[in-house]
Amino acid sequence: MSYCAGTNKATVSVYVSDSIFEKIVSTSPPIDITLVHGQPAQVQGAGLDVANCGQLPNYGIYEYDGFVTFVSINVATPISNPAGFCAGSKPAVNGVTTPGINDVYHSSVQIIRQYSSDWVLSVIDANGKTITRKYPTEPRYEISCNDDCPEGSHKCTHKKYPGYCCVPCKEVGDRLKNMANKVGR
C-alpha cells in the first residue's frame, strides 16, 4: 500500500515496546512499506554430477528455513568411476543434515544470506530507494505526511523544537473519561 502520495515528505515512526525507536524520513513520497517476520537462509550453488564427479548445470539459489551449515560428504559413484566416490557437500539445517532420496549434493556452494528470525521493515520511496531495518520483536509503525500527525492523533503547537507535538486522541480520551468517572463519584 502506498502512503503520502502528492506530498513532499513521509515520516515513518517505528515503535518497539510502545516508545519511538526511530524515525525513517523520505523526501520522495509516495512510500510503500512491508513488514516481514523472518528471512530464510539463501544458498547459491551447483549440484554434484555423480557420474563424473563434476558440476551439474543447475547452478541456482536454494532457500532453507533454519540456520545452514555444510557437511562434507562422499557420494558413491557408478562402477565406471574408478575412485568409487565423489567428494561434495550437503546442507545441514539447524544441525540436521537434510534427509531423503532427492538430496541436494553440491559440488560448489556458498551461503548468500543466513537465516534470521528478526522482523524486517522495508520502506521503498518513489525513486526506488529502499531503507531496511531489522528488529528483534514485532515493531509497530505510524506514517505521517508533510510533518502532519499520524491518523488518530491531534497536532498541538508549542515553543520547543520541532514546534508541535502529536497527542494520541484515544489515549487522551480514555484519560479524560477516567477523570470524569472519578469526579462523578
Side-chain angles (χ1 to χ4, degrees):
M1 179 174 189
S2 290
Y3 300 93
C4 301
T7 64
N8 298 321
K9 184 177 174 183
T11 303
V12 181
S13 299
V14 182
Y15 297 84
V16 177
S17 300
D18 292 332
S19 60
I20 292 182
F21 184 76
E22 71 177 317
K23 289 190 177 197
I24 301 170
V25 178
S26 171
T27 55
S28 300
I31 60 170
D32 289 309
I33 299 175
T34 59
L35 180 62
V36 179
H37 184 229
Q39 287 184 311
Q42 283 189 335
V43 172
Q44 187 173 29
L48 178 64
D49 185 349
V50 179
N52 63 15
C53 292
Q55 180 172 304
L56 290 171
N58 66 342
Y59 197 77
I61 295 177
Y62 306 88
E63 289 191 343
Y64 300 96
D65 284 326
F67 188 81
V68 175
T69 56
F70 287 93
V71 177
S72 294
I73 48 101
N74 289 321
V75 180
T77 61
I79 297 173
S80 60
N81 184 340
F85 69 89
C86 290
S89 60
K90 183 172 181 60
V93 181
N94 295 329
V96 178
T97 306
T98 56
I101 56 172
N102 294 324
D103 289 344
V104 178
Y105 299 108
H106 294 283
S107 59
S108 66
V109 68
Q110 67 179 346
I111 297 171
I112 299 171
R113 178 180 71 212
Q114 194 52 268
Y115 173 77
S116 170
S117 62
D118 292 332
W119 289 84
V120 178
L121 179 90
S122 297
V123 178
I124 304 168
D125 71 12
N127 296 328
K129 179 180 175 186
T130 303
I131 300 170
T132 303
R133 299 285 192 266
K134 288 184 179 182
Y135 304 97
T137 59
E138 183 177 9
R140 181 176 61 82
Y141 62 89
E142 294 177 347
I143 300 103
S144 59
C145 307
N146 285 340
D147 288 331
D148 284 338
C149 291
E151 190 174 308
S153 63
H154 179 73
K155 188 173 187 177
C156 298
T157 58
H158 58 76
K159 293 179 184 180
K160 292 183 181 180
Y161 179 81
Y164 71 94
C165 66
C166 297
V167 180
C169 297
K170 181 172 177 7
E171 186 178 311
V172 172
D174 289 346
R175 285 185 193 164
L176 289 171
K177 204 179 295 180
N178 189 22
M179 285 191 289
N181 287 339
K182 286 181 182 180
V183 171
R185 290 184 184 172

